[in-house]
Amino acid sequence: MLNLSGGVVTSGKGWTDDGEVHEVHSLKRRAASATRPVPILPQFVRMLRAHVNRFDVAPDGRLFRNQAGNYVDAAAYGITWARAREYALTRTERTSRLAKRPYDLRHAGISFWLYSGVDPAECARRAGQSIEVLFRHYAKFLDGLREQANRLIEQSMNEWQRVSQGDVPEG
């Protein structure tokens, strides 16, 4: 379980209250001290633990920082992302819009959850969004789930029919 407590926005010195490049914010539409628990898969827990064992965390709890211990610059993310795309994608994929920005992984992840049959309310909760926002941005992914939905409904109806007829296993 990740327990998120806020975020950092890179907006430039001219746009922050204190003249710093980064501005720390509380979670959207929440009290300044609010946190948001996000369940994560065991594989991800192992990856994060390995990262913390190797690099520790910053004094403020951040997992990722530059060599000087400061916030990672947005340009560094871009350079690293471009290298990762070059390594991982085919030439055709690299010339497409596929995973053009790191933020595209958020969309891919939420879309994958929906496609996998995760309840939309749970997807919205994990993403830190309202169901309204989730449906506005991801409804197109739900359109392709008609057959899967029909199978789930049919399975539930068959189970209900079996139980209602008294065919309940003992134990």
Side-chain angles (χ1 to χ4, degrees), residues 22-91:
H22 300 91
E23 196 166 64
V24 178
H25 289 277
S26 59
L27 298 169
K28 286 183 182 178
R29 299 176 304 279
R30 290 178 173 84
S33 61
T35 60
R36 181 167 67 86
V38 178
I40 60 174
L41 297 173
Q43 300 95 307
F44 191 41
V45 172
R46 287 191 293 276
M47 291 168 63
L48 288 175
R49 284 185 176 153
H51 177 83
V52 170
N53 286 338
R54 182 172 177 193
F55 300 106
D56 205 4
V57 296
D60 63 1
R62 281 178 293 120
L63 289 173
F64 306 107
R65 57 193 182 280
N66 64 18
Q67 288 180 332
N70 299 318
Y71 293 107
V72 177
D73 185 70
Y77 280 115
I79 292 166
T80 303
W81 190 250
R83 287 180 187 157
R85 287 184 89 246
E86 185 72 27
Y87 177 79
L89 301 179
T90 66
R91 178 176 292 159

Side-chain angles (χ1 to χ4, degrees), residues 138-147:
Y138 299 97
K140 59 186 168 278
F141 296 101
L142 295 173
D143 290 341
L145 299 178
R146 182 174 293 141
E147 291 302 316

